[in-house]
Amino acid sequence: MNQTDPLISSRPALARARNLLSAEKPEAAAREVMNHLRRHPGDPEGLTMLGSIANRLGALEQAQQFLRQAIAAGARGPDARRELAAVYNQQQRPVEALALMEELEREVSDLAIPSARSALLDKLGRHDEALELQQQLVEQAGDTHPNLLIPLGHILRAMGRVDEAVAAYRRAAGADFEFGEAWWGLASIKRKVLTDQDLEMIARGIEVAIDPRNSAPLHFAMAKALHDRERHAEAFAHYAKGNAQRAESLKYDPAELTAEITEIERTIDADFIARLPQEPVGDGAIPIFIVSLPRSGSTLLEQMLGSHPALEPVGELPYGPAILRSAIELATRRGSMTVPQLTRTLTDDQARVLGEDYLRRAAEHRRSDSPFFIDKLPHNWSNLLFLKRILPQARFLDIRRNAMDCCFSNYTQLFSSAHASSFDLTHIGRSYVDYVRLMAHLDGVAPGLVHHIDYAAMVDDPEPQLRPALAYLGLHWDPAILQFHKLDRVVRTPSSEQVRRPLNRDGVDIWKPYAQWLDPLRDVLGPLADA
């Protein structure tokens, strides 16, 4: 006689919810769990499952609420805490996630947990600790876990230890020739490290790879290797395939950003800017946001300004977008809400709380007592007004690169989903147009809010570009800025090696060998393509 599953007999609604989740029906599963919780209020297992479903649906604030309730109600085992750590990580709350990971590591034997802890340490700027832990994990697992070798390579590369990073990526590729991220790690190094034999292995990987998470980076790696060999037609064919795979998986809609910028043009005027609070929030820290499209020279600008003794560079902090996302999620519980609407309707108290939250999180990355610190997350450009609303003392530096160079450089870079517009020539062109529209509108309604820097002019002769930028910040010129390549710091962007070299024009006119295939980009850029 078959025994009945205890879950089915005692919690049939949860059993049905599990079946619905297996059938990719999370909304229906959530309804079953909520029915269960109406009959069994405070049930830890039901709350854990509901938190997991909310996380799956992207409702991170709700997921956090349910999972914390589950833990408070006595949820047994690691599931609720592990899920909550994942939610905290997505919410860009690394301190909270790290505390949970440390707790779980004492209870659960799973290499993924200390590896996640290493990533959190790295995110918090505790790079030496992250490196030591990741090296221990690799030594423990050997070459049987290429997923452990990739983050080791990333940490080493960011610290400027490029040869060791290359060795880590090669070990990962050697363990699994189909592992696209390993080959892209090698290809993205700012020197030619891929051999002809490597190209043969990458081609084999492309032939057999089924999962786009492998095949897309394999195509990008092949494209970069062919570019280095000046085989531009073949390189572009692989760029096109890799980008098409990423675009298909992300389903990015450029119309949403265009509509948001149009709404700003329609609703944000000089009177709104004049009414914004002027009193600083927090403890006197002054964030300087470098705002631009990716691949515009923001890392170089950060490195140069970070050489000034009064300015502390802290990298690309994810906290602005994360705080905005949480605020939007809470606001939309009462109805639909756009980012411009949220920016206009925040009360002064709400804005102050959000600004203080940003400064609290940013303080985890501070190592100096200077009031000025630089957050160079590029896509903060579209969040600029929200950031100004919650941080009245914030300053904004816009660095602009030639449209064709900038957009094509985005197209050749395997970004995360945070830069989802980069995987289609038309989409990235539209983003550039929207970015220029926003900057032009702000210059009209709020002259002086944003200070602009020309990338090409800065590369050719930096002092005339950077002296006015420092004056905008209220700082004097310091010749250390011109010795930026000697600054010893961790740089976690694709330009990490480039900024450790003296100024050069390597990034100028990079699109020209591919001109015959870039008509879709030129068409959407219009006059900006020739600016």
Side-chain angles (χ1 to χ4, degrees), residues 127-156:
H127 308 293
D128 290 336
E129 295 174 70
L131 177 61
E132 182 180 2
L133 176 55
Q134 201 65 33
Q135 287 174 324
Q136 291 172 359
L137 294 173
V138 167
E139 184 177 345
Q140 179 182 343
D143 289 348
T144 58
H145 288 73
N147 278 316
L148 297 176
L149 287 159
I150 295 299
L152 175 61
H154 292 344
I155 297 170
L156 289 165

Side-chain angles (χ1 to χ4, degrees), residues 388-459:
K388 180 63 177 175
R389 180 69 181 91
I390 69 172
L391 293 160
Q393 69 267 40
R395 313 287 174 83
F396 301 94
L397 297 173
D398 160 43
I399 182 165
R400 188 173 307 179
R401 185 180 178 191
N402 167 271
M404 292 295 290
D405 275 338
C406 177
C407 293
F408 182 67
S409 183
N410 272 267
Y411 191 70
T412 64
Q413 186 70 37
L414 183 60
F415 283 119
S416 71
S417 58
H419 301 306
S421 68
S422 69
F423 302 109
D424 181 285
L425 290 172
T426 301
H427 293 172
I428 187 60
R430 285 186 63 171
S431 289
Y432 194 99
V433 170
D434 288 334
Y435 149 73
V436 171
R437 286 171 58 211
L438 177 61
M439 294 303 159
H441 180 70
L442 293 177
D443 286 346
V445 301
L449 174 61
V450 183
H451 182 84
H452 304 285
I453 295 168
D454 183 297
Y455 167 78
M458 184 182 77
V459 169

